[in-house]
Amino acid sequence: MAGHRLERTTEDIKRELTAIFRELKDPRVQQAFLSIIRVDVTNDLSYCTVYVSAMEGLDRANEAVKGLKSAAGFIRRELFHRLTLRYVPQLIFKATDSIEYSANISRILNDLDISEDEVDEDESL
């Protein structure tokens, strides 16, 4: 039962963080197209690691993380007001290049020259 509660709390935190990020006025966060990739919360709800990625790449995500770290107190206070938690976890922000990596893989797959005839041949085998 505790596992379900932790999963639900993690999803609630992720949802509320997305809304809070839209409201932040820090230009480092506001100018980047940020996406929350993953949220990991410890079992005792004392720490929450938030992995963020930017469309513009890892350098932009690192700049946004600096802005998020400076606004961590405000973000925790907003989480406390929006969620029914006794303790709001300490937030740890980490930048990843997941979006850039995924876009690169998608670009590579789209550049492959696979004709319709080859696809039909493979399906008939």
Side-chain angles (χ1 to χ4, degrees):
M1 194 69 159
H4 296 295
R5 181 174 182 265
L6 184 63
E7 290 173 15
R8 190 175 62 237
T9 302
T10 301
E11 287 301 316
D12 290 343
I13 289 173
K14 184 176 180 180
R15 183 187 67 244
E16 293 302 329
L17 282 175
T18 302
I20 293 169
F21 285 3
R22 287 190 206 121
E23 298 171 5
L24 289 176
K25 294 183 174 136
D26 191 326
R28 296 173 288 191
V29 177
Q30 211 173 34
Q31 293 173 357
F33 183 69
L34 283 182
S35 178
I36 298 174
I37 302 301
R38 191 174 77 219
V39 175
D40 291 334
V41 180
T42 58
N43 289 336
D44 61 352
L45 296 176
S46 60
Y47 292 98
C48 175
T49 306
V50 181
Y51 297 91
V52 296
S53 183
M55 279 296 264
E56 296 88 5
L58 189 59
D59 294 334
R60 186 58 133 159
N62 283 326
E63 280 297 313
V65 164
K66 289 178 186 175
L68 291 171
K69 284 180 180 178
S70 69
F74 170 77
I75 296 170
R76 281 187 75 195
R77 187 184 64 190
E78 285 295 312
L79 279 176
F80 177 76
H81 290 301
R82 294 174 185 213
L83 299 174
T84 55
L85 296 175
R86 181 175 289 180
Y87 301 108
V88 177
Q90 184 74 30
L91 298 172
I92 301 167
F93 297 103
K94 293 190 178 183
T96 66
D97 62 346
S98 298
I99 293 178
E100 184 181 21
Y101 182 74
S102 300
N104 188 29
I105 290 176
S106 178
R107 198 174 315 114
I108 290 170
L109 289 174
N110 287 333
D111 289 344
L112 291 176
D113 289 328
I114 299 176
S115 66
E116 291 291 325
D117 297 332
E118 291 176 19
V119 172
D120 291 337
E121 269 182 27
D122 290 340
E123 288 178 0
S124 64
L125 294 177

